[in-house]
Amino acid sequence: MSVRNAILGLLAYRPRHGYELHDAFEAMVGGVENWDLKPAQVYTTLTRLEKKGLVIEDRVQQDGGPEKHIYTVTQAGLAELQKWFSEPVLSDRRRDEFFLKLMLCLAAPDANPRKLIYVQRASLYRELHAITAQRSRVDPKSELAYILLLDQAVMHLEADLRWLDMVESRLDEISRQPIPEPAERPRGRPPKSDES
Amino acid sequence: MSIIKTEQLTKVYGKGATAVTALNGLNIEIQPGEFVAVMGPSGCGKSTLLHLVGGLDKPSNGRVLLDGQDIFRLNDDELTQLRRRQIGLVFQFFNLIPVLEAAENVALPLILDGVKQNDARQKAEAWLARIGLSDRLTHRPDQLSGGQQQRVAIARALVAEPSLILADEPTGNLDSRSADDIALLLRQISEEWNRTVLMVTHDPRIAAHANRIIFLKDGTVVDETRLSSNGHQEEMMVRQKLEVAR
Ligand SMILES: Nc1ncnc2c1ncn2[C@@H]1O[C@H](COP(=O)(O)OP(=O)(O)OP(=O)(O)O)[C@@H](O)[C@H]1O
Ligand SMILES: [Mg+2]
């Protein structure tokens, strides 16, 4: 969804061909290491957008070269973009693989939840170190957008690290609680409440 | 050789029923040029560790070796000399002398060590310039921002050209932007100027500047994380291997 809308946004900025879109996207997100968008996804998305009438394709003959496919956003496409701007982005923070691991590690025989926390913490710190180093090389006068993106990543990592400290400090406590089980449900068909 | 090595380092404060074990048989080893952060919950012994490594307090048991030298076997004069020439200290509250100007604060350790006024002043100004404060030489601490005061304190720690900088919560009293600047400066001290930096911090984003993090709990090391290799250290290891091979 976000790639589709980003393509509409980039085309609203100005018409481009597929590979220009790919490169513009990559530049905007600060490089392939941040978001690896495959060129094939750009082309399939463009095809779908065209079918829905959100973009139109023009074939332009180049002198000597193969013809280029230039895409332009339509009025319907612009409306779609406005709709996207008007909606908030919902976070996915309560759906967390580490949490799953931790719960199951607490229940598993021969598992070491403290080790799990340390491994995760080491990995988060390495990521934070890499981003910190990257950030110190970026020029705030010309690359502010990139700095804001890196700062967001830094702040999330900091929050994750603080949360891990909290989990570690309450590990004994949580270890004593059984992991959540589903509520008991009656077997078979639920009894009909109002027979008519 | 490790620049810092602790062996079964133990510190018990007080006696009998009220005794507190601040360090409990702690072993760490740090190579020259490393930038190491020490983290852990409040009361786990971080400051105690720094005090003992800095020779400010004596252990109840165990040893601190700096460059292979057991520092608590030195006599008082030798220990004082080692502290003045080999170790620079940086604290959370800067600990600058309020009535002295920035350059005078920085020159003070040299003057206490018997260096002539003029030479001390020159060295102080050179260090202040290196850390970007040449336009603040005659400001008193109360005329400087927190971040600038900490930079002055760092220049003071560096002025005697020590090989080791010990910093206890150096960013604990700063806003996050000045804190980042100080962390970058500490990193520069290790990377460019080849000093070893041992820093205590609570702040993950400050610790993330280091090459390695040591996690303490109840006075011992519970975990250690290498964040990046240290260029200088690798070079030394290659050299050592070459020498052994010869
Ligand atoms: N001079 C002292 N006399 C008695 N007890 C002390 C002394 N200094 C420290 N302690 C105790 O030793 C333990 C370790 O203290 P230390 O200051 O090294 O902890 P810390 O890890 O630096 O904590 P913080 O993060 O709060 O600064 C604590 O329980 C503390 O109360
Ligand atoms: Mg402390």
Side-chain angles (χ1 to χ4, degrees), chain B residues 88-162:
Chain B
L89 297 172
V90 178
F91 306 95
Q92 179 174 355
F93 297 104
F94 325 136
N95 295 14
L96 297 172
I97 303 207
V99 296
L100 296 184
E101 296 173 355
E104 292 168 340
N105 262 293
V106 175
L108 193 60
L110 293 179
I111 288 168
L112 292 177
D113 199 26
V115 175
K116 282 205 208 95
Q117 198 92 20
N118 272 344
D119 295 349
R121 176 81 186 194
Q122 245 175 26
K123 285 207 169 129
E125 290 185 7
W127 271 109
L128 282 166
R130 231 174 279 182
I131 62 166
L133 281 180
S134 37
D135 53 345
R136 294 286 188 283
L137 301 179
T138 59
H139 288 57
R140 282 193 322 269
D142 64 352
Q143 298 168 320
L144 296 168
S145 73
Q148 289 167 340
Q149 289 183 58
Q150 192 60 302
R151 293 178 97 80
V152 172
I154 289 174
R156 180 186 56 186
L158 287 165
V159 77
E161 310 275 347

Side-chain angles (χ1 to χ4, degrees), chain B residues 42-43 45-48 51 92 168-169 200 202:
Chain B
S42 184
K46 304 181 294 293
S47 297
T48 303
H51 288 158
Q92 179 174 355
D168 196 351
E169 298 274 0
V200 166
H202 275 114

Side-chain angles (χ1 to χ4, degrees), chain A residues 13 25 70 101 124-125 151 159:
Chain A
Y13 199 36
F25 182 90
I70 293 194
K101 261 197 204 183
L124 291 171
Y125 267 114
D151 278 347

Side-chain angles (χ1 to χ4, degrees), chain A residues 114 118-119 121-123 125-126 128-130 132-133 135-137 151 154-155 158 161-162 168, chain B residues 39 180 184 187 202-205 207-211 213 215 217 222-228:
Chain A
R114 202 171 294 278
Y118 290 173
V119 166
R121 184 168 64 186
S123 160
Y125 267 114
R126 274 189 213 109
L128 190 55
H129 179 87
T132 307
R135 194 193 179 289
S136 66
R137 289 192 294 267
D151 278 347
V154 166
M155 288 174 186
E158 276 182 276
L161 283 162
R162 290 188 193 285
E168 190 194 357
Chain B
M39 301 191 82
D180 280 338
L184 282 170
R187 185 149 151 186
H202 275 114
D203 187 342
R205 71 192 278 170
H209 283 84
N211 306 120
I213 306 179
F215 296 95
K217 200 178 158 216
V222 289
D223 193 26
E224 239 182 89
T225 300
R226 183 163 291 288
L227 303 182
S228 66

